[in-house]
Amino acid sequence: MKASISKKLKAIVIMLCATLSTQAQIPTKIEQIKAPFEMPQLERPDFPNRSISIEKTGAKQNKLSTKQIQKAIDRMAEKGGGVVMVPAGKWITGRIVLKSNVNLHIDEGAELHFSGDIKDYLPVVQARYEGVDALSLGGMVYANGAENIALTGKGKLVGPDYSCEILTRTEGGVSPELEKIPFEQRIVDGAGGKNVFMPAFFGAFNCKNILVEGVTFEHSIFWNIVPTYCENVIIRGVTVNSHGQVRTDGIDIDSSVNVLIEHTTLSCGDDCFTLKAGRGNDGMDRNRPTENVVIRHCTVKRGVGGIAIGSETAAMIRNVYAHDCVIESAMYPFYMKSRRPRGGGGENVLFERIHVKKADRPAIFFDMLGSPNSVGGLGQRLPKREVNRLTPVFRNFTFRDITIDDCPTMLRAKGLPESPIENLTLENVKSNNQQVSVQDIGTMIIK
């Protein structure tokens, strides 16, 4: 009997320790943000103490309930804000539009499944696709011009089947012709059987004070969490499972400022933690940089780029601090990329105390050339081109206290002869393979 009680007590202690460990990993309170640049201390948006379940507005499980879910959000917004509850069960919806002062809360055991039909994401809305602004399907969960919005809970958001209409009618990329016409004429709605731009999973556009916390994104068909032209963004305790499907970035911070990402785990079919700022002349003209981004206590399970900057860099990506993270497996754990016609670039970036377990290719990879397959002759290093407004720059990058367990090459850096990579510092970078291959590098310091 004593032995049996002892075993039970031991099991209880193990369970309690596991619970405490999980709680320690994702603190309820947001810790003070410490960064090598000026950044405000971000706080969760506050919501009035009122709530409504989507069942109250007529949502039914296993039945398309877009209008009923939107009705709950609209009703709560009209009252001044509050929480819209998605209870346990399977719910089906098209595009949902968040409104100011509304928290969409996905309960534990709830699964919000999204339609793959184009009609469920019409009419088109203001959005950005691969760095170029257009009127398109936007986001599956979308917001535009809202303040104090949240997507929270322990439930799941589940993308459509990979044989869905949106995927089978997806435009491969942004055509040069689209960039040349006025924005109001850039309508990509699939009319007349034409292709569409895929919607982001969570696409906040021109919003302030955003919280995405606790939820899981699964089976996505495109980029998962994409705040664009946003300010004061907190993403914490989030899980993304999209490995196995191409073009499924985890988090894309696009032309947004003051962003905290913490205690988040990504497994993606493309880049994981990704920073962007528009593309080419369109991004240069809009001139909305990505600035002041802190990524801490996060995990990359699998992906192409673990932490990536670019390749859409037009308005500049600056003031980035990623620290105390683990990259378990990535093709390129640190991936900085731009192209001659992309413009902008990246500067003032510090990676610190990051553990890379496995890199399939160079652990630290700078690529400013791209491929002739994607940019034609501009992908050739020579001849040296004249510097113009679309010449990107990479400068002031520091890698400090980095551990790399397994990689074929520690560093591969390809700058441009007309725009060398400047002020690259590697300080206490420990790697099983110390091989370094560089071209068109200005000042580089290895300590």
Side-chain angles (χ1 to χ4, degrees):
M1 177 66 72
K2 289 182 179 179
S4 177
I5 292 173
S6 176
K7 288 180 180 179
K8 289 181 179 179
L9 286 172
K10 185 177 180 180
I12 291 171
V13 169
I14 291 172
M15 290 175 63
L16 285 172
C17 289
T19 301
L20 290 171
S21 175
T22 301
Q23 291 173 345
Q25 289 175 358
I26 308 176
T28 301
K29 184 178 180 181
I30 297 175
E31 300 172 1
Q32 184 180 10
I33 300 172
K34 298 178 180 179
F37 43 80
E38 291 187 11
M39 179 169 174
Q41 296 301 314
L42 302 180
E43 297 181 356
R44 288 185 179 87
D46 289 327
F47 300 96
N49 187 23
R50 64 172 70 93
S51 65
I52 186 174
S53 169
I54 61 172
E55 291 181 296
K56 293 293 184 181
T57 51
K60 304 290 186 183
Q61 288 196 43
N62 297 301
K63 182 179 179 180
L64 187 66
S65 299
T66 311
K67 292 181 180 179
Q68 293 77 12
I69 297 172
Q70 192 62 54
K71 184 177 180 180
I73 293 171
D74 294 346
R75 182 178 295 179
M76 193 56 65
E78 289 169 1
K79 291 182 178 181
V83 181
V84 173
M85 308 291 295
V86 179
K90 181 179 177 180
W91 310 90
I92 303 173
T93 185
R95 182 172 63 212
I96 299 169
V97 181
L98 286 183
K99 303 292 181 66
S100 293
N101 304 310
V102 172
N103 174 8
L104 181 63
H105 185 83
I106 317 295
D107 275 349
E108 187 172 8
E111 293 187 1
L112 195 55
H113 288 249
F114 287 81
S115 161
D117 296 333
I118 293 171
K119 62 180 176 58
D120 293 326
Y121 300 91
L122 296 175
V124 293
V125 292
Q126 189 176 10
R128 176 181 266 184
Y129 189 76
E130 296 185 343
V132 176
D133 286 36
L135 294 164
S136 69
L137 304 187
M140 295 181 169
V141 179
Y142 178 75
N144 191 344
E147 296 190 17
N148 302 319
I149 59 173
L151 177 61
T152 65
K154 295 182 179 180
K156 296 180 179 180
L157 294 89
V158 183
D161 191 87
Y162 293 150
S163 62
C164 70
E165 181 188 26
I166 292 175
L167 266 181
T168 57
R169 290 178 53 190
T170 293
E171 190 67 38
V174 177
S175 69
E177 291 73 24
L178 185 73
E179 297 183 60
K180 295 175 183 177
I181 65 176
F183 169 74
E184 60 274 9
Q185 297 177 22
R186 300 176 188 174
I187 301 172
V188 187
D189 59 3
K194 293 181 180 179
N195 288 342
V196 295
F197 291 156
M198 287 186 289
F201 217 148
F202 175 82
F205 200 85
N206 196 32
C207 295
K208 292 183 179 181
N209 305 329
I210 301 167
L211 173 66
V212 183
E213 185 174 44
V215 293
T216 295
F217 293 83
E218 288 190 348
H219 209 265
S220 56
I221 60 173
F222 190 51
W223 300 354
N224 282 271
I225 303 172
V226 192
T228 304
Y229 301 143
C230 291
E231 181 178 349
N232 301 339
V233 180
I234 301 172
I235 302 168
R236 66 192 313 266
V238 169
T239 301
V240 171
N241 294 316
S242 64
H243 183 78
Q245 178 65 13
V246 298
R247 302 177 74 188
T248 52
D249 290 6
I251 298 172
D252 291 87
I253 306 303
D254 197 351
S255 290
S256 295
V257 299
N258 303 332
V259 179
L260 171 65
I261 306 170
E262 63 176 7
H263 305 294
T264 286
T265 300
L266 305 182
S267 179
C268 304
D270 208 327
D271 296 338
C272 293
F273 297 95
T274 312
L275 309 177
K276 300 177 179 290
R279 170 172 144 184
N281 284 305
D282 192 67
M284 296 282 289
D285 292 343
R286 297 181 190 282
N287 194 28
R288 297 286 297 273
T290 283
E291 294 179 319
N292 304 342
V293 179
V294 172
I295 303 169
R296 64 187 185 186
H297 312 303
C298 290
T299 300
V300 169
K301 289 288 186 182
R302 289 180 293 185
V304 176
I307 304 174
I309 292 179
S311 60
E312 297 85 14
T313 58
M316 290 297 293
I317 297 151
R318 62 171 62 92
N319 299 346
V320 178
Y321 182 35
H323 67 93
D324 297 289
C325 296
V326 175
I327 301 175
E328 293 186 2
S329 179
M331 187 177 293
Y332 305 104
F334 304 99
Y335 195 8
M336 285 61 62
K337 48 185 173 174
S338 191
R339 307 287 183 264
R340 278 185 170 118
R342 294 294 169 95
E347 62 183 0
N348 304 335
V349 177
L350 172 60
F351 298 110
E352 188 171 39
R353 296 188 302 276
I354 296 177
H355 183 187
V356 175
K357 294 186 178 180
K358 187 177 188 303
D360 296 326
R361 296 183 186 176
I364 302 171
F365 187 40
F366 287 81
D367 182 11
M368 299 179 72
L369 276 174
S371 149
N373 291 333
S374 60
V375 293
L378 293 177
Q380 300 289 347
R381 177 177 177 267
L382 297 174
K384 180 177 179 180
R385 270 67 173 184
E386 184 177 346
V387 173
N388 58 43
R389 76 189 300 252
L390 295 180
T391 303
V393 297
F394 278 141
R395 59 196 174 209
N396 304 331
F397 279 73
T398 299
F399 298 81
R400 178 185 299 146
D401 298 331
I402 308 295
T403 299
I404 304 166
D405 293 344
D406 184 13
C407 69
T409 303
M410 184 176 75
L411 169 67
R412 173 80 171 103
K414 296 189 294 182
L416 299 174
E418 67 271 20
S419 181
I421 298 166
E422 291 289 353
N423 297 330
L424 172 59
T425 300
L426 277 63
E427 182 178 343
N428 193 31
V429 176
K430 299 177 181 178
S431 173
N432 74 305
N433 187 330
Q434 294 286 325
Q435 182 176 347
V436 171
S437 173
V438 299
Q439 66 184 39
D440 298 316
I441 298 289
T443 303
M444 183 171 74
I445 300 172
I446 299 179
K447 298 181 181 180

